[in-house]
Amino acid sequence: MLDSKGNWNIEQYRNPQVDEALRQFASTTNPAVERQALYQFERIAAEDLPVILIFYIELWYECNDAHFTGWPTKQNMWIDPAPYTFLAAAIIRDHLKPVS
């Protein structure tokens, strides 16, 4: 989302230090190096505040099984029901069954 070349960088944020921190994080499996890269990324993001997220990553709670079953759940996340997964709603609808 904040990578200059990221495909979800809809705000067009550009910061070479962020790009380098993300590159370092992605290029290692060393927890100490990962942690350091994330700390750098977090510091810059907190200072620049390029975006304010308005939704939380776990969206499974949006489903209500009072009248229909077959929703993705935290235990069985067979599809990502997030609003930004555009075709998910149609696929989910095809899997729903009325509560008997």
Side-chain angles (χ1 to χ4, degrees), residues 2-64:
L2 299 181
D3 182 343
S4 294
K5 295 184 177 117
N7 61 0
W8 191 244
N9 186 1
I10 58 176
E11 60 282 322
Q12 299 298 300
Y13 178 71
R14 303 270 187 265
N15 186 316
Q17 292 174 315
V18 166
D19 292 342
E20 178 59 20
L22 293 172
R23 188 200 62 73
Q24 286 177 356
F25 177 80
S27 67
T28 186
T29 57
N30 180 325
V33 175
E34 289 175 338
R35 195 169 20 260
Q36 186 61 34
L38 286 179
Y39 288 159
Q40 180 182 2
F41 169 80
E42 289 172 349
R43 180 188 52 76
I44 296 167
E47 290 171 358
D48 286 1
L49 203 59
V51 64
I52 298 174
L53 295 176
I54 57 172
F55 54 86
Y56 186 67
I57 195 69
E58 286 197 78
L59 299 166
W60 53 266
Y61 61 84
E62 292 180 353
C63 304
N64 181 329

